[in-house]
Amino acid sequence: MANVETGRHRLPLLAVAQAQKEITHNEALVIIDALLHPAVEDVLVTAPVVSEIDIGKCWLIGAGATGIWATHESDVAVYVGGGWRYIASQEGMRIWNRASARQLLRIDGQWADAPSVPNPAGGSVIDVEARAALAAILQYFRLIGVLAA
């Protein structure tokens, strides 16, 4: 028997002679829409109160999730109007967290947040140009969410 979903993100596949192909196709489009340049509103453990204006928005389900999200820890929850779709996180996946304005990366089965790296200070020899260059690099990494602000 042929696969009924893709291997990595479990997108539903159309079957030969399948009736109502638009349902399967639309389900796949919802998942693709959420995963193309993925961004989540925040990391939450309970489903937020949502309305029609929230259709298409995503949240990352945190550890200790409760309620309807209880069995979906680390998944991306997509609100599709009247319900939720869950996307299993994959190793190496990157997601932009809008609430913290930082990037999250899935490493070793955990979501890793950007580390905090202070600007250089102190030392016995101070090189102003080197410090300025390092500060600019660090600021860029903070801006793109690789490092914590």
Side-chain angles (χ1 to χ4, degrees):
M1 183 174 165
N3 290 340
V4 295
E5 59 187 25
T6 63
R8 197 166 79 151
H9 289 296
R10 307 210 182 292
L11 299 172
L13 296 172
L14 297 175
V16 175
Q18 174 182 336
Q20 298 181 322
K21 289 180 183 344
E22 67 277 4
I23 294 171
T24 302
H25 176 76
N26 290 343
E27 186 69 22
L29 288 177
V30 166
I31 297 169
I32 291 168
D33 184 51
L35 292 175
L36 186 64
H37 306 296
V40 295
E41 301 303 310
D42 204 353
V43 179
L44 299 177
V45 294
T46 58
V49 176
V50 288
S51 66
E52 294 301 307
I53 63 170
D54 296 312
I55 291 175
K57 289 184 180 178
C58 302
W59 285 265
L60 184 59
I61 303 174
T66 60
I68 61 173
W69 285 3
T71 59
H72 297 282
E73 289 184 5
S74 295
D75 288 355
V76 176
V78 183
Y79 182 65
V80 293
W84 294 96
R85 297 295 183 276
Y86 303 101
I87 303 167
S89 59
Q90 302 294 322
E91 196 68 15
M93 186 183 248
R94 291 180 187 272
I95 293 180
W96 182 257
N97 183 342
R98 292 177 198 240
S100 66
R102 292 178 22 203
Q103 187 175 190
L104 300 171
L105 176 61
R106 184 80 174 170
I107 303 172
D108 296 329
Q110 300 292 323
W111 284 104
D113 205 348
S116 181
V117 178
N119 285 334
S124 59
V125 177
I126 298 174
D127 184 335
V128 176
E129 289 179 13
R131 282 196 180 176
L134 286 171
I137 292 168
L138 292 173
Q139 181 57 32
Y140 174 73
F141 285 144
R142 289 181 188 115
L143 179 68
I144 63 171
V146 174
L147 295 176

